[in-house]
Amino acid sequence: MTENTQTPSSPHSELPTAYTPADVEGKLYERWVERGYFTADPSSEKPPYTIVIPPPNVTGSLHLGHAFQHTLMDALTRRKRMQGYESLWLPGMDHAGIATQNKVEQQLAEEGKSRHDLGREAFVERVWQWKEEYGGKILGQMRRLGDGVDWSRERFTMDEGLSKAVQTIFKKLYDDGLIYRAERIINWCPRCLTAISDIEVEYQEDAGELVSIQYGEGEDTLVVATTRAETMLGDTAIAVHPDDERYKHLVGKLIKLPLTDRSIPVVADTHVDPEFGTGCVKVTPAHDPNDFAIGQRHNLPNMTIMDERGVITVHGPFLGLDRYEARSAVVGALRQQGRIVAEKRPYLHSVGHCSRCSTTVEPRLSLQWWVKVETLAKNAGDAVRDGRVAIHPVEMEKRYFDWVDNLNDWCISRQLWWGHRIPVWYGPDGEVVCLGPDDEAPTGEGWTQDTDVLDTWFSSGLWPFSTLGWPEKTPDLEKFYSTDVLVTGHDIIFFWVARMMMFGLYAMDGEVPFKTIALTGLVRDERGKKMSKSFGNVVDPLDWMDKYGSDAVRFTLAKGANPGTDVPIGEDWVQASSKFANKIWNATRFALMNGATIEGELPPAEQLSATDRWILSRLNKTIAQVDAYYEDFQFSKLSEALYHFAWDEVFDWYVELSKTTFFAGGEQAKVSARVLGEVLDVMLRLLHPVVPFVTETLWTTLTGRESLVVADWPKDSGFRDDAAEAEIGSIQTLTKEVRRFRKEQGLDDKQKVPARLDLTGTVLAAHEAAIRQVLRLQPEGDSFSATATLPVAGATVALDLSGTIDVDAERKRLTKDLGAAEKEKQQAEAKLGNEAFLAKAPDNVVDKIKGRLAKAEADIARIQAQLATLPAA
């Protein structure tokens, strides 16, 4: 779409006196969607710019982490759209296997039923019903935030197209020998009754117990320590380091396993740390990943001692006990035999919990489906190493390489009913058949489909290309793949990012899924503490949106967005951003009432005042600065730059300095009104991607044009005027110094004070009226008496403070301050003159004292000047 250039209408009376976000945001958003501003056209000749949204869970609702990342993605796509790109921000949701199944199972439990009462087919239908009725709440909340996504392309990881993509790539990987089935150790949730991925395991410090157990008899004894005493029932060896002289005589011998009728070998393995504990570790291959690896190296048997619910299945006295009951019983039995050498209770240690139900995860040997990742992971690493994909910030590359270079095969099967069912069929005579999306399932007696479903991350790993129509060669895929930027948290670089890289390169013949990975930090509270329900510091961003508006939430999040670092946020900061939105509103209303306009060409430089040339120079520098920050994903810096340009330079300086011109009227007022219109036009365009609602309302009022969403992004014209910047800089210096002096005298900035200005021979001479306006300085009058004289910026400002300050009290205060500053100077000089001190003191300490000396000298000069301005007693 091209920018609408209709003639501006009269704006002066169209803006309410106060900005109320609730009256604006919802209506504006629906107007944008209805007009198709966010709908991308694959037939467009514009260059493409694509971002796919990290798909939120269908069970989820908008939290501050979503709001944070969505703000950044929205800003990127809005700016690119304004720059003339065919900008696609593609939305969608993840089916979230475990989380969604748990929701429906909870519903059934309230009805006194389980999924098994319904059966698989009816249960899956029930989940679809739940999804239609309750799922996708977050999509409506994304509208509240202002997400400029292409709703016509909304996808779901279990819709028909994405299901076809899943089955296609599974078949391709299977046929290429990259998917296989094997018994390995996995994370198992005894409550959800499924394998879970690493990212679905949350670690926390639990208070358990550490017991040291004596194995063997007589001289052939060893001591091992464990926090899971019940697993000793499945021990099949004890391991020591091959170079540990203490145990070399025992390597290869059989040692009696307590509480059982079994003996187990002592094996030598370099995995054991001889410096840790006793240097001996029990080996339970079926219930620990490290032990499983040791078992593989030494051909040890895998002995499973508990079922899928964590119930002991072996050894009479403990048979049928829950794992925690068994732990206590085993320790008690060992204690009776005198085999407990030491006990530590409580013993704090890191324990994995299921992120969905908080149950302690149990490492478990299980027959599962796996992806062989060696080649896929190498390709994912090479794509970053050779520059096809950039990671931002670059410091995060190391974490990425640490992961992909050491990636283990990926367990992709889950023991659930909700998800993409594994497309493998088993025949009555041991046949195994993997089906593609166009293959027909085998018929006949004895054929059954694998009951497992795929890990949610399997389907979301296809997201950048499956959402664009793959495996079909669609116009969307041709136009918008590969995507430009992936904006996501550094916490899932290992899981989702790596899987998308592996699958994208594999499925798309080496073409990367995204050109840049822009990693963000996590949102924390104002004290930098992680947000958690248990901490009571979780914030619903919708509450803040209701109270302060979506723009305020967005601007606060963007201001905190330094690449890769965590983002603290508090309500005070959102409130400050709300004040900024109101400042933009009020200042623009003032400008409009004083004739600010975009009509007509901008006057040439020779017709502009120094103030006009200054603000246009600063405007173009700000455009260049903001563009540079966008390209470097420096959202915090670009937001700060816009904030200070708008508030400090436009509103606090340009508008204030121009008031005398506006009030005087005439041709110069018209020129400045056109300049102010230009500045507001560009400033609102620059702000729009981050704060879209208030800027849209103000800009359409100012210009009479259609929408900022499809307006042109500002370009740096190259206009610079260093002389004008220096001239206005002198005014700012004088103003700040006088204001500082007034503050020291206890005078309010708005309090009017008689003054005599001697600006002769300075660039300030042409600005006397503006200076008096800004500083609230009255003409000197007949009874003027200079009680204070300030030399600044080559000029002199004489103030008549009689009747406003107590001169005697002020002289006493300043004399006291002067004495303190002189004492500070003497102390600093004494230390810096002490050779012994200088020889021993670190450089940073010496530099600090030098700084104290410089400050003391500056304070002395300042105070003496102030004393000189006071009238004689």
Side-chain angles (χ1 to χ4, degrees):
M1 294 185 180
T2 57
E3 183 177 352
N4 185 305
T5 56
Q6 67 191 62
T7 304
S9 58
S10 175
H12 301 20
S13 62
E14 296 181 21
L15 286 177
T17 55
Y19 177 52
T20 307
D23 295 341
V24 171
E25 295 178 348
K27 296 174 185 176
L28 264 187
Y29 188 83
E30 291 310 315
R31 186 189 308 161
W32 292 335
V33 173
E34 289 166 6
R35 291 182 178 180
Y37 293 154
F38 306 138
T39 304
D41 180 4
S43 67
S44 168
E45 294 183 1
K46 296 178 182 179
Y49 184 81
T50 314
I51 294 180
V52 291
I53 202 167
N57 287 354
V58 66
T59 60
S61 59
L62 190 76
H63 56 63
L64 276 173
H66 291 131
F68 172 50
Q69 291 181 0
H70 288 206
T71 294
L72 307 188
M73 286 183 274
D74 196 31
L76 290 171
T77 50
R78 283 179 183 269
R79 172 174 175 263
K80 285 295 183 180
R81 188 179 293 112
M82 295 172 75
Q83 286 183 311
Y85 287 78
E86 195 61 33
S87 191
L88 169 62
W89 185 18
L90 193 149
M93 292 185 299
D94 191 283
H95 65 277
I98 295 177
T100 310
Q101 179 157 321
N102 278 351
K103 289 280 188 183
V104 179
E105 287 197 85
Q106 288 167 12
Q107 269 191 351
L108 290 174
E110 292 171 3
E111 300 169 13
K113 299 177 183 177
S114 73
R115 60 180 161 128
H116 300 284
D117 294 323
L118 271 67
R120 183 169 192 142
E121 188 174 337
F123 177 77
V124 170
E125 178 59 32
R126 177 74 176 257
V127 180
W128 276 108
Q129 291 172 7
W130 182 93
K131 185 257 181 188
E132 293 304 316
E133 187 173 354
Y134 301 105
K137 174 182 174 184
I138 191 172
L139 300 179
Q141 295 167 339
M142 287 163 54
R143 292 174 178 261
R144 282 288 313 278
L145 188 65
D147 283 10
V149 296
D150 185 346
W151 292 109
S152 71
R153 286 177 167 83
E154 181 189 334
R155 304 305 300 267
F156 180 55
T157 48
M158 281 185 62
D159 67 29
E160 185 177 348
L162 269 64
S163 294
K164 181 177 183 180
V166 168
Q167 199 168 349
T168 299
I169 201 164
F170 187 100
K171 170 73 170 170
K172 180 174 170 59
L173 289 162
Y174 182 88
D175 290 347
D176 287 348
L178 296 176
I179 282 184
Y180 64 95
R181 199 180 189 211
E183 269 198 327
R184 298 277 180 84
I185 293 286
I186 46 88
N187 301 309
W188 181 264
C189 176
R191 212 288 311 170
C192 297
L193 299 180
T194 181
I196 59 177
S197 67
D198 292 337
I199 198 170
E200 290 163 328
V201 178
E202 293 182 347
Y203 289 89
Q204 64 187 49
E205 291 289 311
D206 283 2
E209 60 180 352
L210 181 70
V211 293
S212 297
I213 308 168
Q214 179 181 300
Y215 284 41
E217 303 289 349
E219 294 183 358
D220 295 343
T221 61
L222 295 167
V223 175
V224 300
T226 180
T227 58
R228 300 163 67 212
E230 73 282 3
T231 61
M232 68 159 293
L233 301 174
D235 287 356
T236 56
I238 294 175
V240 297
H241 194 277
D243 299 332
D244 194 331
E245 295 294 336
R246 293 172 295 176
Y247 306 117
K248 275 192 173 181
H249 67 289
L250 293 177
V251 174
K253 285 191 174 184
L254 293 176
I255 297 290
K256 174 71 174 174
L257 179 65
L259 306 184
T260 72
D261 57 1
R262 295 189 293 119
S263 292
I264 56 177
V266 178
V267 299
D269 195 281
T270 54
H271 169 75
V272 180
D273 179 1
E275 302 299 322
F276 185 77
T278 63
C280 307
V281 297
K282 57 192 286 302
V283 183
T284 321
H287 294 277
D288 183 274
N290 294 321
D291 293 3
F292 179 78
I294 294 174
Q296 294 283 292
R297 289 193 288 271
H298 297 279
N299 297 314
L300 300 175
N302 301 317
M303 187 173 178
T304 301
I305 61 151
M306 65 180 78
D307 66 14
E308 59 185 11
R309 297 183 183 276
V311 174
I312 302 298
T313 58
V314 297
H315 202 69
F318 312 107
L319 184 66
L321 295 180
D322 169 84
R323 53 184 169 160
Y324 299 114
E325 295 172 333
R327 181 173 303 170
S328 178
V330 165
V331 170
L334 290 168
R335 190 181 292 111
Q336 283 185 340
Q337 291 188 5
R339 291 188 174 274
I340 299 297
V341 176
E343 295 180 69
K344 187 175 182 180
R345 189 184 299 110
Y347 177 72
L348 287 177
H349 61 130
S350 181
V351 178
H353 296 260
C354 174
S355 63
R356 305 302 175 191
C357 67
S358 299
T359 301
T360 300
V361 169
E362 191 66 41
R364 185 170 188 262
L365 186 65
S366 182
L367 182 63
Q368 302 283 347
W369 286 94
W370 303 80
V371 173
K372 190 181 294 183
V373 301
E374 183 179 3
T375 303
L376 300 174
K378 181 182 182 302
N379 293 339
D382 289 346
V384 175
R385 287 190 170 94
D386 63 25
R388 282 175 291 158
V389 177
I391 292 180
H392 190 88
V394 71
E395 308 89 74
M396 289 287 179
E397 279 188 3
K398 183 180 184 302
R399 294 182 65 184
Y400 176 79
F401 292 136
D402 285 347
W403 179 256
V404 297
D405 293 347
N406 299 284
L407 200 58
N408 296 318
D409 285 358
W410 171 21
C411 176
I412 57 172
S413 45
R414 299 290 179 266
Q415 290 63 56
L416 303 170
W417 288 356
W418 171 245
H420 295 102
R421 194 164 174 180
I422 289 177
V424 172
W425 292 72
Y426 306 106
D429 298 318
E431 303 96 330
V432 179
V433 177
C434 179
L435 303 181
D438 300 322
D439 299 332
E440 291 192 13
T443 57
E445 189 175 345
W447 282 92
T448 59
Q449 185 178 358
D450 196 298
T451 57
D452 288 352
V453 300
L454 288 164
D455 177 12
T456 294
W457 296 98
F458 189 95
S459 52
S460 62
L462 316 181
W463 191 252
F465 53 93
S466 64
T467 52
L468 296 172
W470 188 90
E472 307 301 327
K473 294 182 178 180
T474 64
D476 275 5
L477 192 64
E478 184 176 351
K479 177 75 174 180
F480 296 112
Y481 190 88
S482 60
T483 69
D484 287 87
V485 183
L486 172 72
V487 178
T488 192
H490 62 63
D491 55 325
I492 59 172
I493 186 174
F494 313 129
F495 308 104
W496 188 46
V497 177
R499 281 146 175 56
M500 285 190 290
M501 286 285 280
M502 292 191 297
F503 280 168
L505 292 163
Y506 174 75
M508 299 300 292
D509 299 321
E511 192 174 358
V512 297
F514 23 74
K515 302 176 186 74
T516 301
I517 302 169
L519 295 170
T520 70
L522 307 179
V523 179
R524 296 180 177 271
D525 70 14
E526 63 267 33
R527 296 178 181 84
K529 195 172 184 179
K530 179 181 178 181
M531 287 193 173
S532 165
K533 290 180 180 178
S534 60
F535 296 153
N537 61 351
V538 174
V539 174
D540 185 345
L542 294 170
D543 292 341
W544 282 351
M545 287 183 212
D546 289 340
K547 195 170 182 180
Y548 302 109
S550 298
D551 282 335
V553 174
R554 290 169 61 112
F555 194 68
T556 305
L557 290 165
K559 278 185 73 176
N562 289 301
T565 60
D566 290 346
V567 183
I569 184 172
E571 186 169 359
D572 288 349
W573 304 342
V574 182
Q575 188 176 21
S577 295
S578 175
K579 289 179 180 177
F580 178 52
N582 285 315
K583 181 74 171 179
I584 299 171
W585 183 273
N586 293 330
T588 304
R589 279 191 78 248
F590 171 85
L592 290 171
M593 288 188 291
N594 284 276
T597 180
I598 65 163
E599 293 187 76
E601 293 295 321
L602 197 64
E606 57 268 20
Q607 294 181 20
L608 303 178
S609 68
T611 309
D612 293 334
R613 297 196 308 276
W614 163 73
I615 197 63
L616 290 174
S617 182
R618 290 298 308 132
L619 176 68
N620 281 283
K621 285 184 178 179
T622 300
I623 294 171
Q625 191 177 40
V626 168
D627 278 336
Y629 287 146
Y630 261 115
E631 295 307 313
D632 199 33
F633 303 98
Q634 297 280 0
F635 293 97
S636 177
K637 290 183 178 179
L638 73 89
S639 298
E640 287 286 352
L642 288 170
Y643 176 88
H644 289 298
F645 176 72
W647 195 307
D648 299 346
E649 297 185 308
V650 178
F651 304 146
D652 280 1
W653 284 107
Y654 181 73
V655 169
E656 287 298 318
L657 291 173
S658 300
K659 279 182 178 178
T660 53
T661 302
F662 290 137
F663 295 161
E667 286 303 312
Q668 192 56 52
K670 291 180 181 178
V671 169
S672 293
R674 179 63 187 89
V675 170
L676 181 53
E678 182 77 11
V679 171
L680 289 176
D681 173 19
V682 173
M683 183 194 76
L684 292 170
R685 292 174 194 245
L686 291 172
L687 281 165
H688 177 72
V690 179
V691 283
F693 294 108
V694 68
T695 53
E696 172 85 337
T697 306
L698 295 172
W699 186 84
T700 53
T701 303
L702 170 70
T703 66
R705 294 178 180 173
E706 182 180 342
S707 175
L708 261 177
V709 181
V710 290
D712 293 332
W713 181 254
K715 293 181 179 178
D716 175 10
S717 70
F719 179 81
R720 302 288 190 275
D721 194 324
D722 293 338
E725 291 198 39
E727 188 168 331
I728 303 306
S730 295
I731 297 176
Q732 292 172 325
T733 300
L734 181 144
T735 303
K736 290 174 183 176
E737 183 64 23
V738 173
R739 281 178 173 167
R740 185 183 63 78
F741 177 78
R742 289 171 59 127
K743 185 177 181 180
E744 289 172 347
Q745 310 307 315
L747 298 178
D748 185 88
D749 282 346
K750 295 181 180 180
Q751 186 173 347
K752 294 181 178 180
V753 177
R756 178 189 298 142
L757 305 184
D758 182 3
L759 310 177
T760 307
T762 72
V763 293
L764 300 170
H767 301 280
E768 180 169 349
I771 292 170
R772 286 187 177 277
Q773 165 68 28
V774 170
L775 287 171
R776 306 295 191 269
L777 300 180
Q778 294 177 317
E780 52 193 274
D782 295 336
S783 60
F784 181 82
S785 174
T787 58
T789 303
L790 302 177
V792 58
T796 302
V797 179
L799 303 174
D800 183 355
L801 303 179
S802 58
T804 60
I805 64 168
D806 182 333
V807 175
D808 289 339
E810 183 62 16
R811 182 176 286 107
K812 288 179 181 177
R813 183 184 72 80
L814 289 173
T815 301
K816 181 179 178 183
D817 290 348
L818 180 61
E822 289 173 338
K823 183 178 180 180
E824 175 73 5
K825 178 187 175 184
Q826 291 170 1
Q827 290 176 342
E829 286 176 334
K831 284 192 175 182
L832 293 173
N834 186 333
E835 294 297 333
F837 170 78
L838 293 176
K840 296 179 181 179
D843 290 344
N844 65 315
V845 173
V846 175
D847 289 342
K848 188 174 180 180
I849 294 172
K850 288 179 178 178
R852 284 170 50 192
L853 176 60
K855 182 178 183 303
E857 290 174 337
D859 287 343
I860 290 168
R862 175 180 57 81
I863 296 167
Q864 286 175 337
Q866 287 179 245
L867 283 167
T869 65
L870 294 177

